[in-house]
Structure formats: structure tokens, C-alpha cells
Amino acid sequence: MIVAFVLLLVVIGSVGFHLISPWWWTPIASNWGYIDDTINLTFWITGFVFVAVLTFMAYCVFRFRHTKGHKAHYEPESAKLEIWLSVLTSLGVIAMLTPGLFVWYQFITVPDGADEFEVLGQQWMWSYRYPGKDGRLGKTDPRNVTADNPFGIDTADPAGQDDVLVQGEDLHLPLDRPVKFLLRSLDVLHDFYVPQFRAKMDMIPGMITYFWITPTRTGTFDILCAELCGVGHHAMRGIVVVEEESAYKDWLAQQPTFAQSLAKANAGTRRVSTLNAGGSVR
Ligand code: CUA
């Protein structure tokens, strides 16, 4: 009797907690409402099964409790019941998986005319690269990476010279424009995640992965690394600012291009070598 009561209490408590839980998604800031829909669908199906199974258990515990003189009826199998359970389970699993396939297809099908930019992950920071005036990102190779060229841009590729580099700064994105995130890692697995965008993707050394979103409201959101990547994993945080297109363009215009940052690095090297030369004369 008490067991049946506890089982019912677990059902009521779980459903009640789900309904009034203070821990719920942050308000969405992208076009991926579908992601929330599929999660909600999964909640409904698994929730229904959870309630049904526990209520049935409570009923059985109560209804078939021990009474003197009663003997259990032995029924090792029931083909009819097994078919029913198999069919219902299959339907439930299909209902949970099928919408995901459609949403996934949209998630990786980038609309024509989407802007492109690159996110570079490394232990333990985020950097970003936007195509310059030519609208194209220059070729890269991890073997080109040096202190002066942290993105590993191919210096021989003219498309790379005007690439805009953002390091140690927030990521900015324009409102209401579809944008394709190209994701690259310099060292180990990372995972680029902005909860409000309902989008995340692993970053794999040697590969360029991607997804796309359209930011649907302005604001400042946290960027998290969602793949354990070493002792600094927890500190691999960033900020993304979604703003009106004009503010975004002003910000972008202030960031250095690859050619500018190379020239600055070279000027620094020259100054150092001049100093060294001066030192050796004395
Ligand atoms: Cu990068 Cu965890």
C-alpha cells in the first residue's frame, strides 16, 4: 500500500517539478525554434510513458498485493501482449527520431546568400575571422601558424590579405541575416555553443565543420565550449553581440585586416632588429 502511494507521489512530484521548474531554456535568439519543438516532443512522449509505466506499477502493487490463500498465476509468455508492446515502443521511438532528421537537414542546409565567417578554437580561447572586401576567406593551413599569423592564413593567397581578424574581442553578428559559422580547431576537440542560438557543433582538428543561424533578436550572449578540451575547458568562454547591421558594420570596420596585422608585426620585428644593431655597435 505504502509502495503504491510512493510510486504515485514520484509521478506527481516529477510532473509538478517539470511544470514549475525554475530551470528552463533561456529565451531563444535564433531561427531554430524547431530544436525546442523536437525537445518538447521528446518530453511529451517520454513523459507520457513515464507516467503510464509508474501508474501501472502502482496499480499492480496495490491490486495484486499479498492476501492469504491467493496463489500467483503463472503465465511465462503472451505473444499478443509482446506484439502490442513492440509496436507501441517502435512508434514512440520513430516519433522521437523522425522530426530530428528533418531539423538536422535544415540545420546543415545553408540558405543562398548567407554571410560566412570563421570561428577558430584553441586551448583555451576563441578567435574569429571575417572575409574582407572581396567576400572570400583566404586559404589556411595549421602549418602556417606562427605568433604573427595565429590563424595560419596562406600569405600567398590574395583572398587572405583583406581577411578581418578578431582576437581577444567579442564576436559581433548582424541581426536578421543568415550566417554560416565555419568552425576550425588548432589543437584538440572543442565545441562551439551558444545556448540562446540553440546551435552547437564540434570543432575537429583538420576539418572545417559548420552550421547556420539567423539571429532574431539583439543582445549579448555567452559562448561556451561544450567539449572537454583540457584543464582550461571551463574558462573557454566568449561573448557574442547581436546588433543592428549599421552598428555591426562600424565595429567590423575597426578590426584589423590580415595585411595590417602582418605589417604591424613586421614593423615590430624591424624595430627590434634596429635596436639589436644599435646595441652591437656600442
Ligand atoms: Cu574548448 Cu572545452
Side-chain angles (χ1 to χ4, degrees), residues 121-126 185 187-192 203 224-230 232-237:
Q122 70 196 93
Q123 289 171 324
W124 287 280
M125 57 185 278
W126 304 105
S185 166
D187 37 44
V188 299
L189 287 176
H190 300 280
D191 188 300
F192 184 84
M203 312 172 90
L224 313 172
C225 178
E227 179 70 55
L228 185 60
C229 57
H233 164 67
H234 68 283
M236 195 165 165
R237 306 285 291 262

Side-chain angles (χ1 to χ4, degrees), residues 39-49:
I39 295 174
N40 272 324
L41 183 70
T42 303
F43 262 135
W44 274 104
I45 293 173
T46 53
F48 173 78
V49 172

Side-chain angles (χ1 to χ4, degrees), residues 8-19:
L8 282 181
L9 219 57
V10 168
V11 171
I12 293 164
S14 302
V15 174
F17 183 77
H18 176 78
L19 293 177

Side-chain angles (χ1 to χ4, degrees), residues 82-97:
E82 278 163 24
I83 289 171
W84 265 110
L85 285 178
S86 304
V87 168
L88 282 180
T89 309
S90 305
L91 282 179
V93 171
I94 289 169
M96 284 191 286
L97 292 184

Side-chain angles (χ1 to χ4, degrees), residues 202-221:
D202 272 0
M203 312 172 90
I204 296 148
M207 258 178 92
I208 297 175
T209 51
Y210 70 91
F211 63 76
W212 74 277
I213 69 156
T214 302
T216 50
R217 66 182 167 94
T218 56
T220 301
F221 312 110

